[in-house]
Amino acid sequence: MITFVDAEAKTRRTAGVIPLHGEAGFAGMRKAGRLTAEALDVLVDAVRPGVTTAALDRLAYAFARDNNAIPATLFYKGYRHSICTSINHVVCHGIPDERPLRDGDIVNIDLTLIVEGWYGDSSRMFAVGEISRKAERLIDVTYAALEAGIAAAKPGNTTGDIGAAIQTLAETERTSVVRDFVGHGVGQLFHDEPNIMHFGVPGTGVPLKPGMIFTIEPMINLGRPHVKILPDGWTAVTRDRTLSAQAEHSIGITETGNEIFTLSPKGLFNPLAARR
């Protein structure tokens, strides 16, 4: 059973309880989302061959510290880094380390900053030097899939409409949608209701209502959709070792459509497209 509640009410949140936010919530998410986007903008020029993902992690942490923000992943369930860095066949939750990036790599950087109690959650794809045409195409499809999902996120539609739009676009382009990870409610909690699947059937799932805030974050593989978790307990990779890409925004449902909170102030949400 699905229950919608005023986000400011003191209702104990359990599975199936979806908060509806007012203007105060949207204002908080605008601030958190913008700072997260600004942090990812800072990383654009830093992603290049020879740079380590650990160095990028330190840069993200310094940005957060200097702007009175807290990286949400730092010490989350034992995780010890400010960002996730998922390279090539890594689907998500890649752990920063001291290995240098190589020319031709693609890397997703996922960052969530807590600003005055609100969580701004976003990720984007970065090309390291000159990448292959198949990698470039995968990134283009992934961004198009995210855009299709966002276009379906409006009152009167359902979470199934979002997933169906993403799945249709990805499979039309002969790529696959990862099923193992989902978008999620966000706001004053890192992970809240509802879950947003990136595949589905139109008209099914949770009805979309003004005030809902959640992420859309499709993970698209060049090969099959199946993944496995490495022994570190975090890193998810494609089982067939094919490339994977992801793009993520935090959005809120409005009376007429949606508002994207994590837009890049510099127009760099897709760094690859920006440099063409």
Side-chain angles (χ1 to χ4, degrees):
M1 178 176 168
I2 299 167
T3 303
F4 295 93
V5 299
D6 184 337
E8 297 182 5
K10 301 302 181 182
T11 304
R12 186 171 71 90
R13 300 272 264 282
T14 58
V17 176
I18 300 173
L20 299 179
H21 297 267
E23 178 52 36
F26 274 58
M29 285 300 295
R30 288 184 196 113
K31 186 176 292 187
R34 181 179 176 88
L35 193 66
T36 296
E38 288 176 357
L40 289 169
D41 283 354
V42 167
L43 296 178
V44 170
D45 289 337
V47 176
R48 57 184 184 274
V51 173
T52 68
T53 50
L56 299 176
D57 183 64
R58 291 190 289 270
L59 185 59
Y61 175 78
F63 179 93
R65 178 198 61 207
D66 293 345
N67 287 276
N68 300 313
I70 301 170
T73 56
L74 192 58
F75 306 121
Y76 176 76
K77 296 185 177 180
Y79 192 79
R80 302 180 62 85
H81 303 275
S82 298
I83 58 177
C84 295
T85 50
S86 302
I87 303 169
N88 295 334
H89 72 291
V90 178
V91 176
C92 62
H93 304 157
I95 302 172
D97 59 29
E98 296 295 345
R99 289 174 291 182
L101 293 169
R102 299 177 298 178
D103 188 69
D105 284 340
I106 60 173
V107 56
N108 175 271
I109 299 180
D110 193 342
L111 172 65
T112 304
L113 292 182
I114 310 171
V115 180
E116 298 175 3
W118 294 91
Y119 290 71
D121 191 357
S122 185
S123 79
R124 62 181 76 165
M125 292 302 300
F126 296 77
V128 183
E130 296 300 319
I131 64 174
S132 67
R133 179 66 191 101
K134 67 179 182 180
E136 185 174 348
R137 175 177 168 273
L138 174 64
I139 291 173
D140 287 343
V141 170
T142 301
Y143 277 94
L146 174 62
E147 290 170 0
I150 291 174
K154 57 187 178 182
N157 278 1
T158 67
T159 53
D161 291 313
I162 296 173
I166 292 168
Q167 181 181 5
T168 297
L169 189 143
E171 293 180 354
T172 298
E173 294 293 335
R174 302 183 306 282
T175 60
S176 64
V177 179
V178 172
R179 267 70 164 171
D180 299 65
F181 302 97
V182 298
H184 53 86
V186 71
Q188 290 182 296
L189 295 176
F190 195 178
H191 298 99
D192 205 344
E193 296 282 349
N195 286 334
I196 306 296
M197 294 186 293
H198 305 116
F199 61 97
V201 178
T204 64
V206 178
L208 300 178
K209 295 181 178 293
M212 293 172 67
I213 294 176
F214 50 80
T215 70
I216 302 177
E217 46 185 296
M219 303 165 201
I220 308 298
N221 295 347
L222 268 183
R224 298 177 65 81
H226 311 300
V227 307
K228 65 178 180 179
I229 308 298
L230 297 187
D232 61 32
W234 288 101
T235 309
V237 301
T238 56
R239 283 189 174 273
D240 58 10
R241 304 282 294 186
T242 55
L243 293 175
S244 184
Q246 180 189 16
E248 174 186 11
H249 271 314
S250 295
I251 73 167
I253 302 298
T254 67
E255 295 290 341
T256 58
N258 64 67
E259 178 178 348
I260 302 173
F261 300 119
T262 46
L263 290 171
S264 164
K266 295 183 178 180
L268 299 175
F269 180 63
N270 183 348
L272 180 63
R275 77 183 193 183
R276 285 175 181 151

